Amino acid sequence: MILHKKGRLYVGKLSFALPDNVYLQTDDACVYYASGLEMESPDQTIRLSVYADLEEHSSKGYIDGLLKKPLFIRKSETKPITVGGLQGHYAYYESGAHSHCEYRFDAEPTEYCNGITILVYVDKSVDIVNICQGELVQQLVQSVRAEL
């Protein structure tokens, strides 16, 4: 579950804010995690998933492990990122008809989670790097922070 309080969403010892101008996906078939949300840009070209969970690996180990699967084609190295007091990693990859960028931040463990993931995906014809540097994705990524 996710707690909404004063314009932020809280899970475990993490919080984030929704970016402006997104549609929340409310179809149960699209929300795969109990502590997660899916959203889309108004033109439905950008899809974002945010979820907190318990993962056995660090953020780098998680992404590197994910991208060893034959289903995914790595398009970048795994790169470090620091936001809101959290250390994390991200990488670009392709799967099927989509391009993806996956951000994973490590957090102090609780019974609910030890990290948060932001997954951005678009059609392969769209420049995923440009999308991830844009305002919509950066509003979400830069809003993630550790909580006491």
Side-chain angles (χ1 to χ4, degrees):
M1 289 184 32
I2 299 172
L3 171 67
H4 178 262
K5 184 177 168 184
K6 296 183 180 179
R8 294 191 64 79
L9 300 168
Y10 294 79
V11 59
K13 295 189 178 184
L14 303 162
S15 74
F16 63 96
L18 294 176
D20 291 332
N21 204 26
V22 293
Y23 288 102
L24 295 178
Q25 181 57 262
T26 56
D27 181 354
D28 285 346
C30 292
V31 181
Y32 303 108
Y33 298 91
S35 294
L37 292 171
E38 290 211 3
M39 59 198 94
E40 291 183 353
S41 61
D43 62 4
Q44 298 180 325
T45 60
I46 305 169
R47 189 151 201 165
L48 302 153
S49 295
V50 182
Y51 59 90
D53 63 359
L54 286 167
E55 174 57 46
E56 64 182 278
H57 300 289
S58 68
S59 58
K60 184 172 184 346
Y62 169 81
I63 290 175
D64 286 343
L66 176 75
L67 296 182
K68 286 181 182 174
K69 296 178 181 177
L71 176 67
F72 304 117
I73 300 167
R74 182 185 282 274
K75 292 298 187 179
S76 76
E77 293 301 312
T78 302
K79 301 173 186 175
I81 183 171
T82 302
V83 173
L86 297 170
Q87 301 291 320
H89 290 84
Y90 70 99
Y92 298 100
Y93 61 96
E94 291 180 351
S95 174
H98 295 99
S99 293
H100 307 265
C101 180
E102 192 146 351
Y103 297 86
R104 175 77 183 181
F105 297 96
D106 297 314
E108 184 178 332
T110 69
E111 64 183 291
Y112 304 108
C113 72
N114 62 357
I116 190 166
T117 298
I118 298 172
L119 174 61
V120 182
Y121 52 109
V122 297
D123 286 338
K124 275 187 184 176
S125 62
V126 177
D127 181 352
I128 186 74
V129 175
N130 188 45
I131 293 296
C132 289
Q133 292 171 349
E135 183 178 4
L136 179 67
V137 173
Q138 286 303 304
Q139 277 183 0
L140 179 58
V141 170
Q142 297 299 320
S143 77
V144 176
R145 68 181 185 212
E147 297 291 342
L148 299 175

